[in-house]
PDB file of all heavy atoms in Angstrom:
ATOM      1  N   ARG A 308     105.504 157.403  -2.094  1.00  0.00           N
ATOM      2  CA  ARG A 308     106.151 156.229  -2.503  1.00  0.00           C
ATOM      3  C   ARG A 308     107.763 156.598  -2.454  1.00  0.00           C
ATOM      4  O   ARG A 308     108.156 157.443  -3.227  1.00  0.00           O
ATOM      5  CB  ARG A 308     105.745 155.563  -3.725  1.00  0.00           C
ATOM      6  CG  ARG A 308     106.561 154.334  -4.221  1.00  0.00           C
ATOM      7  CD  ARG A 308     106.348 153.911  -5.596  1.00  0.00           C
ATOM      8  NE  ARG A 308     107.091 152.853  -5.971  1.00  0.00           N
ATOM      9  CZ  ARG A 308     107.246 152.461  -7.229  1.00  0.00           C
ATOM     10  NH1 ARG A 308     106.698 153.068  -8.202  1.00  0.00           N
ATOM     11  NH2 ARG A 308     108.015 151.318  -7.510  1.00  0.00           N
ATOM     12  N   VAL A 309     108.511 155.977  -1.584  1.00  0.00           N
ATOM     13  CA  VAL A 309     109.953 156.369  -1.445  1.00  0.00           C
ATOM     14  C   VAL A 309     110.797 155.087  -1.734  1.00  0.00           C
ATOM     15  O   VAL A 309     110.597 154.022  -1.196  1.00  0.00           O
ATOM     16  CB  VAL A 309     110.226 156.847  -0.033  1.00  0.00           C
ATOM     17  CG1 VAL A 309     111.700 157.191   0.044  1.00  0.00           C
ATOM     18  CG2 VAL A 309     109.379 158.182   0.303  1.00  0.00           C
ATOM     19  N   LEU A 310     111.688 155.242  -2.655  1.00  0.00           N
ATOM     20  CA  LEU A 310     112.761 154.233  -2.950  1.00  0.00           C
ATOM     21  C   LEU A 310     114.053 154.567  -2.407  1.00  0.00           C
ATOM     22  O   LEU A 310     114.580 155.763  -2.585  1.00  0.00           O
ATOM     23  CB  LEU A 310     112.833 154.047  -4.471  1.00  0.00           C
ATOM     24  CG  LEU A 310     113.997 153.070  -4.977  1.00  0.00           C
ATOM     25  CD1 LEU A 310     113.746 151.602  -4.571  1.00  0.00           C
ATOM     26  CD2 LEU A 310     114.128 153.220  -6.470  1.00  0.00           C
ATOM     27  N   ILE A 311     114.742 153.777  -1.584  1.00  0.00           N
ATOM     28  CA  ILE A 311     116.023 153.959  -1.023  1.00  0.00           C
ATOM     29  C   ILE A 311     117.010 152.943  -1.458  1.00  0.00           C
ATOM     30  O   ILE A 311     116.827 151.714  -1.462  1.00  0.00           O
ATOM     31  CB  ILE A 311     115.955 153.961   0.579  1.00  0.00           C
ATOM     32  CG1 ILE A 311     115.016 155.052   1.078  1.00  0.00           C
ATOM     33  CG2 ILE A 311     117.341 154.083   1.054  1.00  0.00           C
ATOM     34  CD1 ILE A 311     114.757 155.000   2.522  1.00  0.00           C
ATOM     35  N   ASN A 312     118.155 153.547  -2.052  1.00  0.00           N
ATOM     36  CA  ASN A 312     119.202 152.698  -2.553  1.00  0.00           C
ATOM     37  C   ASN A 312     120.307 152.957  -1.412  1.00  0.00           C
ATOM     38  O   ASN A 312     120.903 154.028  -1.363  1.00  0.00           O
ATOM     39  CB  ASN A 312     119.722 153.056  -3.918  1.00  0.00           C
ATOM     40  CG  ASN A 312     119.008 152.298  -4.972  1.00  0.00           C
ATOM     41  OD1 ASN A 312     117.961 151.844  -4.824  1.00  0.00           O
ATOM     42  ND2 ASN A 312     119.742 152.180  -6.138  1.00  0.00           N
ATOM     43  N   SER A 313     120.572 151.942  -0.578  1.00  0.00           N
ATOM     44  CA  SER A 313     121.592 152.167   0.535  1.00  0.00           C
ATOM     45  C   SER A 313     122.732 151.193   0.309  1.00  0.00           C
ATOM     46  O   SER A 313     122.774 150.326  -0.559  1.00  0.00           O
ATOM     47  CB  SER A 313     120.842 151.780   1.846  1.00  0.00           C
ATOM     48  OG  SER A 313     120.301 150.552   1.874  1.00  0.00           O
ATOM     49  N   VAL A 314     123.741 151.442   1.146  1.00  0.00           N
ATOM     50  CA  VAL A 314     124.972 150.716   1.002  1.00  0.00           C
ATOM     51  C   VAL A 314     124.882 149.463   1.953  1.00  0.00           C
ATOM     52  O   VAL A 314     124.404 149.465   3.086  1.00  0.00           O
ATOM     53  CB  VAL A 314     126.158 151.647   1.570  1.00  0.00           C
ATOM     54  CG1 VAL A 314     127.520 150.882   1.615  1.00  0.00           C
ATOM     55  CG2 VAL A 314     126.248 152.884   0.776  1.00  0.00           C
ATOM     56  N   PRO A 315     125.229 148.288   1.356  1.00  0.00           N
ATOM     57  CA  PRO A 315     125.238 147.014   2.151  1.00  0.00           C
ATOM     58  C   PRO A 315     126.033 147.093   3.366  1.00  0.00           C
ATOM     59  O   PRO A 315     127.175 147.660   3.256  1.00  0.00           O
ATOM     60  CB  PRO A 315     125.641 145.936   1.188  1.00  0.00           C
ATOM     61  CG  PRO A 315     126.435 146.703   0.075  1.00  0.00           C
ATOM     62  CD  PRO A 315     125.820 148.078  -0.015  1.00  0.00           C
ATOM     63  N   GLY A 316     125.492 146.509   4.482  1.00  0.00           N
ATOM     64  CA  GLY A 316     126.322 146.444   5.715  1.00  0.00           C
ATOM     65  C   GLY A 316     126.144 147.632   6.540  1.00  0.00           C
ATOM     66  O   GLY A 316     126.625 147.479   7.738  1.00  0.00           O
ATOM     67  N   ARG A 317     125.679 148.643   6.153  1.00  0.00           N
ATOM     68  CA  ARG A 317     125.603 149.817   6.973  1.00  0.00           C
ATOM     69  C   ARG A 317     124.275 149.845   7.874  1.00  0.00           C
ATOM     70  O   ARG A 317     124.202 150.449   8.950  1.00  0.00           O
ATOM     71  CB  ARG A 317     125.439 151.235   6.217  1.00  0.00           C
ATOM     72  CG  ARG A 317     126.870 151.509   5.653  1.00  0.00           C
ATOM     73  CD  ARG A 317     126.865 152.907   4.937  1.00  0.00           C
ATOM     74  NE  ARG A 317     128.116 153.198   4.255  1.00  0.00           N
ATOM     75  CZ  ARG A 317     128.268 154.325   3.566  1.00  0.00           C
ATOM     76  NH1 ARG A 317     127.117 155.038   3.218  1.00  0.00           N
ATOM     77  NH2 ARG A 317     129.361 154.529   2.876  1.00  0.00           N
ATOM     78  N   GLY A 318     123.145 149.230   7.308  1.00  0.00           N
ATOM     79  CA  GLY A 318     121.922 149.185   8.057  1.00  0.00           C
ATOM     80  C   GLY A 318     121.334 150.568   8.269  1.00  0.00           C
ATOM     81  O   GLY A 318     120.581 150.837   9.144  1.00  0.00           O
ATOM     82  N   ALA A 319     121.559 151.397   7.316  1.00  0.00           N
ATOM     83  CA  ALA A 319     121.139 152.897   7.428  1.00  0.00           C
ATOM     84  C   ALA A 319     119.633 153.084   6.856  1.00  0.00           C
ATOM     85  O   ALA A 319     119.128 154.213   7.188  1.00  0.00           O
ATOM     86  CB  ALA A 319     122.084 153.784   6.522  1.00  0.00           C
TER      87      ALA A 319
END
Side-chain angles (χ1 to χ4, degrees):
R308 180 189 178 195
V309 177
L310 172 67
I311 297 177
N312 272 24
S313 57
V314 179
R317 287 185 186 171

